[in-house]
Amino acid sequence: MPELPEVETVARGVDRRVRGDRIEQAWFGNRPQSFKNPPARQAKGLAGRTILGVHRAGKHIVFELGAAAGAAGARGRNPSQTNAPDAQWIVHLGMTGRLLVTTPDAAVAPHTHARLELASGCELRFQDPRRFGRLEFRDLGSGIAFEAHGAEPLVIGTREFAELFQKRRMPIKAALLNQALLAGVGNIYADESLFEAGIRPRRRTNRLTAADLERLRLALRRILQHAIRLGGSSVSDYVDADGERGFFQLEHCVYQRTGEPCRRCQTPIRRIELAGRGTHYCPNCQH
DNA sequence: CATTTCACCTGGTGGC
DNA sequence: TGCCACCAGGTGAAAT
């Protein structure tokens, strides 16, 4: 399932392939739950725009878009010399979303909900069988720029991280999954970072010491960075923008290893349900 | 207000 | 071999 490392990998791959390209036209499907605003409006807003760059914010992929070229610039306004974006396209992959750069003649996979034809001849395709993903177009002339609600786990410092959790009483794993606190952590990396930090998932956040929280912050950062280097975790059907799988699933210590021996102490990994999610930990290494 | 639960989805899996 | 119940989980709304 796409979490921060997977989304980062996709965003980098897409950026490398489409930065500077122009969207000739866009085709959208009609499954309403895939769209935060009407697909016809998204298609119209995207057509003709230039892709200035693509980056990740939390679990979202943000396309920064420049004004439609050509005719639009002729009308008195400066043919915007600046690279300031005037629109954004925001992609959330949900559980099973894929964002792929393909050739136009590649077979269109089932559950493809959007296709962007680019001036270079490539196509950018969004497919999502389970439809937990979301597509959103924002015109920055009339709306506000996208912002992830939570802090970036790779950037946040010691004090700010501790302040996020010290006042709350929920289990630490539930807090890690809360995107309004930290943006980008999902089920895999919550379990793996709690193992690395030696903290049980049910521990209440306000009962954690400053040392616990700092170990957790560093564990999160180390694991997320390592996972990004390995192209993310391909546990179900995750692939990057070129259709390639990641390799971090080979290094999981607890996630989906129920009953298997802990890599550190050989104790069987235990599975519980927490916040409605399968949760995995080592009863010996985590306290 | 803070926290917990549940519905939304479909492909893959395991049991019979 | 076929059929079906069940599970996976990110998010936001509803419930507690």
Side-chain angles (χ1 to χ4, degrees):
Chain A
M1 30 251 61
E3 304 177 26
L4 188 153
E6 292 77 32
V7 177
E8 177 72 30
T9 302
V10 172
R12 286 182 188 178
V14 170
D15 182 74
R16 189 168 56 80
R17 300 285 292 272
V18 308
R19 173 188 284 267
D21 215 333
R22 194 178 74 249
I23 302 164
E24 298 282 359
Q25 62 174 330
W27 170 92
F28 280 76
N30 55 7
R31 296 293 205 150
Q33 59 270 67
S34 295
F35 309 109
K36 291 199 74 162
N37 41 23
R41 173 147 36 115
Q42 297 199 36
K44 190 175 178 197
L46 290 170
R49 280 199 154 88
T50 300
I51 300 171
L52 302 176
V54 184
H55 61 94
R56 178 194 63 78
K59 293 178 192 171
H60 299 262
I61 300 166
V62 181
F63 288 70
E64 303 290 352
L65 304 172
R75 184 109 194 282
R77 258 198 314 168
N78 293 11
S80 64
Q81 314 291 34
T82 74
N83 281 340
D86 78 338
Q88 292 174 320
W89 192 46
I90 298 131
V91 177
H92 193 295
L93 299 175
M95 282 286 297
T96 54
R98 288 180 172 184
L99 201 54
L100 293 165
V101 180
T102 70
T103 56
D105 57 322
V108 177
H111 309 291
T112 296
H113 305 300
R115 296 166 64 185
L116 275 55
E117 298 177 23
L118 305 179
S120 65
C122 292
E123 266 192 33
L124 187 62
R125 297 180 181 176
F126 174 73
Q127 62 186 83
D128 183 18
R130 233 168 278 184
R131 303 207 297 276
F132 284 6
R134 293 290 182 273
L135 304 178
E136 178 183 11
F137 177 81
R138 288 196 189 205
D139 189 332
L140 298 182
S142 54
I144 55 168
F146 174 83
E147 274 185 85
H149 339 265
E152 277 291 332
L154 295 177
V155 174
I156 190 169
T158 303
R159 176 187 302 262
E160 197 189 346
F161 188 84
E163 284 172 355
L164 284 181
F165 300 113
Q166 274 169 344
K167 291 170 285 200
R168 301 180 177 272
R169 301 160 200 279
M170 56 171 72
I172 182 60
K173 167 149 178 184
L176 287 174
L177 295 176
N178 184 343
Q179 302 298 295
L181 298 177
L182 276 183
V185 181
N187 207 36
I188 297 172
Y189 298 99
D191 281 3
E192 292 297 318
S193 61
L194 287 169
F195 171 79
E196 175 89 4
I199 298 169
R200 290 210 184 188
R202 282 203 217 271
R203 290 272 300 282
R204 300 271 155 177
T205 54
N206 58 331
R207 308 288 293 274
L208 295 171
T209 66
D212 288 330
L213 289 169
E214 181 62 0
R215 282 203 319 282
L216 180 56
R217 186 182 74 91
L218 294 172
L220 258 177
R221 198 168 70 178
R222 187 161 52 238
I223 285 173
L224 293 172
Q225 284 173 338
H226 187 200
I228 290 170
R229 279 195 294 274
L230 295 185
S233 301
S234 290
V235 288
S236 53
D237 51 1
Y238 161 77
V239 294
D240 69 13
D242 298 315
E244 299 292 332
R245 292 167 58 83
F247 294 96
F248 190 70
Q249 69 278 8
L250 302 175
E251 308 207 6
H252 290 173
C253 288
V254 289
Y255 180 76
Q256 285 191 350
R257 293 192 66 243
T258 310
E260 294 177 45
C262 172
R263 296 193 197 283
R264 197 176 286 162
C265 75
Q266 312 306 315
T267 302
I269 298 303
R270 190 173 293 173
R271 181 188 187 281
I272 58 174
E273 181 164 317
L274 200 164
R277 299 291 166 257
T279 297
H280 316 75
Y281 69 97
C282 172
N284 185 47
C285 293
Q286 293 172 256
H287 301 282

